Amino acid sequence: MIFAFLLFTALAAAIYYFYLYGTRNENYFAEKGLPYEKPSFLFGNSLRLITKKISVYDFLKDFPKMYPKERIVGYFDFRDPVVVVLDPEILKQLAVKEFDSFSDHKVILTDDADTLFSNSLFALQGQKWRDMRATLSPAFTGSKMRLMSTLIVEICEQMVDYLKEEVKAKGPQTYEAKELFSRLTSDIIGTCAFGIKVDSLKDKENDFFVNAKKMFSFTNVLMQFKFVLFRVCPKLMMALKITLFRADSRTFMKSLVVDTMKVREEKKIVRPDMIHLLMEAQKGNLTHTTNEKDTVNSAGFATVEESEIGKTAAKRVWSEDEIVAQCFLFFLAGFDTSSTVLSFAIYEIMVNTDVQEKLFEEISETNQNLGGKPLKYETLQNLKYLDMVISETLRKWPAAPVVDRVCNRDFTLKYDNKEYTFRKGDVFWIPMVSFHRNPEYYPEPDKFDPERFSDENKSSINPAAYVPFGVGPRNCIGSRFALMELKSILYYLILNFRLEPTSKTQIPLKLAKNMFGLQTENGIHVSFRPR
């Protein structure tokens, strides 16, 4: 009898505390005076995303419609209250002017959950982030990109040869763009980051690509489930010692980087890639130099400039694990993010035939001026319409739908005769999609219109409402590399092929209903017909 009573009491207490956990912060924004949507038990305002009722892009796109006159609003990310910034001027104030108060991202994975991610530049915090940013920044200047451009061109030419051979042997083929470009960007990361020559289009099961796909397959149900659990009950996941990324893939990544560095050190091998730059950074030999050409010839409209934080001299000595973590991040961004943006760029160019023809005219004229010689980094700066197409793709389909910032110290925001106080540990969101699809900043926002970024029109764009690579000192360090990669691939594709829809192509495109980034319902299917 006593045992039954104790069991009942323990069960009742567990249910009670679970209820408290599932409803905590219920009145947070009501007490703060911010408009918000009533949260559901445990999942807050994320239930429609968890149950796959809507895509994260459509979800974020609706925010300006839900709160047409509000500049900041409340949102429950599961049970955690988050301020969503909908006004570009407030965003600029918080992320740029008050950067010292909002310099970090929210901790998602600790060292216990995954040492690779937690030690990467994206996840580092405080002074350690500042030191790492300053260490890596010189590796991403225009002069360093110029050295890497020849490596990218080699992969692009390899791609053209493969696609032409396929057509010659089998006739025009249908390709799923994400799958194709994942292989292509994997090869680019292989050569530019690790000094590895890979041809994933021909050698489809090579170790490099297979491990990349295992590690970064965010469409994998198990990966998605683990990510949700890390958000809902991180302490439980850490107590169970569950990691987000596979142990064998992490081991492969570390061995790849460490072994490559060891061989190069022993044999005095110098190659213009990321491993070499990281080795130099580890020795303190990499410094930020001001180059007039880098400043004047931007990599494109979407390029973000480095802040003074990135230009300071870093003196910290980095461990092997910390260096490996930066390669991991570079791998993640290059493999998944770049291939996603490329897929959507291909779709827009394919269905907008006028854009495709205008792009071909510019590229073919440039190729004639080069005398058929390989593309040069400097030439990319002169391809204005290509830059317009890329800029519009990044507006309509930003690779990251939302990023966050964490308050480091109490700060009171004053706006419209109102006040809102952020306490240390509070989080605000930067919803890229909400800005980029807001008709107030972009008329007919769902239309793909590269002319928005023409010399005549781009001055009318509010730069604080165009944030494909983030905003402020914590912006994406690899924007120059990403733009160089995207432009080079599109240059060679459009020069050599006509992009055509197939019977499998979904027009108009529909997004997959989930909370994990930019994914389509049925893929993006395209045929490459030689010109």
Side-chain angles (χ1 to χ4, degrees):
M1 190 73 176
I2 296 175
F3 175 76
F5 174 75
L6 292 174
L7 183 62
F8 174 79
T9 303
L11 182 61
I15 292 172
Y16 175 69
Y17 283 111
F18 182 65
Y19 171 78
L20 289 181
Y21 179 80
T23 58
R24 67 190 175 97
N25 297 320
E26 190 87 13
N27 299 314
Y28 184 88
F29 289 116
E31 294 169 358
K32 292 266 193 174
L34 272 192
Y36 69 101
E37 184 181 356
K38 183 176 173 59
S40 61
F41 179 78
L42 194 62
F43 297 109
N45 298 137
S46 304
L47 186 60
R48 284 193 297 158
L49 293 169
I50 291 292
T51 55
K52 299 188 175 183
K53 301 291 185 185
I54 192 171
S55 75
V56 65
Y57 273 68
D58 290 331
F59 183 76
L60 291 169
K61 191 170 69 171
D62 288 344
F63 265 90
K65 298 175 189 174
M66 292 169 58
Y67 306 100
K69 296 182 181 180
E70 300 296 337
R71 302 176 72 186
I72 61 173
V73 299
Y75 177 82
F76 286 95
D77 179 27
F78 294 88
R79 299 312 306 178
D80 295 332
V82 171
V83 173
V84 181
V85 177
L86 299 176
D87 180 80
E89 297 311 312
I90 288 181
L91 172 59
K92 187 164 63 175
Q93 180 181 356
L94 297 180
V96 181
K97 295 178 183 176
E98 301 296 336
F99 177 74
D100 287 343
S101 298
F102 301 93
S103 60
D104 296 330
H105 291 305
K106 180 180 178 180
V107 175
I108 300 174
L109 301 175
T110 63
D111 279 355
D112 293 332
D114 201 284
T115 54
L116 283 179
F117 185 84
S118 62
N119 278 305
S120 70
L121 182 66
F122 182 86
L124 290 177
Q125 296 190 328
Q127 189 60 44
K128 194 171 184 180
W129 170 80
R130 290 170 182 264
D131 291 344
M132 183 60 82
R133 181 81 185 208
T135 299
L136 297 180
S137 177
F140 290 93
T141 59
S143 59
K144 300 300 187 301
M145 295 304 100
R146 196 171 291 112
L147 295 174
M148 288 191 196
S149 66
T150 56
L151 303 176
I152 291 179
V153 166
E154 286 178 14
I155 300 298
C156 290
E157 291 176 334
Q158 182 175 287
M159 167 195 68
V160 170
D161 291 342
Y162 170 81
L163 293 174
K164 284 185 175 180
E165 287 171 11
E166 285 274 290
V167 172
K168 188 175 180 180
K170 309 172 189 175
Q173 300 293 299
T174 296
Y175 298 91
E176 201 291 300
K178 174 69 174 176
E179 171 68 16
L180 177 73
F181 292 133
S182 291
R183 293 182 177 279
L184 186 63
T185 54
S186 169
D187 291 356
I188 287 175
I189 293 301
T191 189
C192 289
F194 304 103
I196 296 173
K197 293 288 285 183
V198 187
D199 189 346
S200 299
L201 294 174
K202 288 184 178 179
D203 183 8
K204 298 191 182 299
E205 297 302 316
N206 69 80
D207 287 346
F208 192 75
F209 177 77
V210 168
N211 276 279
K213 195 167 185 179
K214 276 194 234 174
M215 185 174 281
F216 304 127
S217 182
F218 292 103
T219 56
N220 182 285
V221 175
L222 178 60
M223 173 77 85
Q224 294 180 2
F225 183 63
K226 286 201 292 184
F227 188 81
V228 169
L229 289 179
F230 271 114
R231 301 288 295 278
V232 176
C233 45
K235 291 182 180 178
L236 175 63
M237 297 293 279
M238 283 184 273
L240 296 174
K241 296 184 178 180
I242 295 173
T243 59
L244 181 62
F245 297 101
R246 294 168 56 112
D248 58 343
S249 295
R250 294 200 313 272
T251 301
F252 173 82
M253 172 69 67
K254 184 170 182 177
S255 298
L256 183 65
V257 175
V258 172
D259 291 349
T260 301
M261 293 173 72
K262 184 178 179 181
V263 169
R264 291 193 185 187
E265 192 70 45
E266 290 174 351
K267 298 186 177 181
K268 307 298 180 186
I269 296 172
V270 176
R271 192 174 183 273
D273 56 23
M274 193 54 59
I275 288 283
H276 171 69
L277 294 173
L278 287 172
M279 289 173 68
E280 291 297 290
Q282 195 175 30
K283 297 172 185 174
N285 295 338
L286 208 58
T287 56
H288 210 294
T289 56
T290 302
N291 186 312
E292 187 180 346
K293 242 182 180 180
D294 287 348
T295 306
V296 176
N297 291 331
S298 166
F301 184 86
T303 317
V304 288
E305 295 301 324
E306 187 56 271
S307 70
E308 289 305 312
I309 292 172
K311 296 177 182 178
T312 56
K315 298 177 182 178
R316 188 189 291 258
V317 176
W318 300 105
S319 70
E320 192 175 82
D321 283 347
E322 288 165 336
I323 291 296
V324 171
Q326 310 323 310
C327 290
F328 162 82
L329 183 64
F330 194 56
F331 203 165
L332 170 60
F335 180 81
D336 188 73
T337 308
S338 297
S339 59
T340 297
V341 174
L342 269 169
S343 300
F344 282 83
I346 284 295
Y347 171 81
E348 295 291 358
I349 294 168
M350 175 175 61
V351 300
N352 293 282
T353 53
D354 56 329
V355 171
Q356 184 169 176
E357 288 311 306
K358 189 169 182 179
L359 195 53
F360 173 69
E361 288 175 12
E362 179 184 64
I363 289 172
S364 59
E365 182 181 344
T366 301
N367 184 57
Q368 289 175 8
N369 293 336
L370 288 171
K373 293 180 181 178
L375 179 66
K376 299 293 184 184
Y377 180 76
E378 291 77 12
T379 307
L380 289 175
Q381 323 307 325
N382 301 322
L383 292 162
K384 288 190 174 183
Y385 193 67
L386 176 58
D387 187 62
M388 291 160 58
V389 170
I390 292 289
S391 299
E392 176 67 347
T393 300
L394 291 168
R395 179 202 67 82
K396 188 176 178 182
W397 306 109
V402 61
V403 294
D404 65 18
R405 295 289 189 276
V406 177
C407 184
N408 305 324
R409 60 193 182 193
D410 291 1
F411 173 78
T412 299
L413 172 69
K414 297 181 180 181
Y415 68 103
D416 300 339
N417 298 317
K418 302 177 186 177
E419 287 188 358
Y420 184 88
T421 298
F422 291 90
R423 301 297 181 188
K424 184 177 180 180
D426 286 354
V427 176
F428 78 80
W429 273 5
I430 305 169
M432 279 82 155
V433 177
S434 302
F435 288 111
H436 291 188
R437 294 292 189 98
N438 190 333
E440 182 180 346
Y441 310 121
Y442 301 97
E444 296 184 88
D446 294 336
K447 179 183 178 182
F448 186 79
D449 182 14
E451 294 300 327
R452 299 180 203 272
F453 296 90
S454 67
D455 288 340
E456 296 76 21
N457 297 328
K458 64 185 179 184
S459 60
S460 64
I461 293 175
N462 183 341
Y466 184 71
V467 286
F469 289 107
V471 59
R474 192 118 197 183
N475 58 35
C476 174
I477 196 171
S479 68
R480 288 179 182 273
F481 182 88
L483 291 172
M484 174 177 66
E485 180 183 31
L486 295 172
K487 289 180 180 181
S488 299
I489 293 170
L490 288 180
Y491 176 93
Y492 277 94
L493 280 175
I494 301 302
L495 177 64
N496 291 281
F497 303 97
R498 189 181 302 278
L499 313 183
E500 297 179 345
T502 74
S503 58
K504 291 185 177 181
T505 307
Q506 187 183 58
I507 302 175
L509 204 61
K510 293 182 181 179
L511 297 181
K513 294 176 180 178
N514 62 46
M515 63 182 297
F516 295 96
L518 189 54
Q519 299 172 24
T520 60
E521 273 188 351
N522 301 317
I524 296 174
H525 298 276
V526 58
S527 176
F528 300 98
R529 188 178 296 277
R531 291 186 181 272

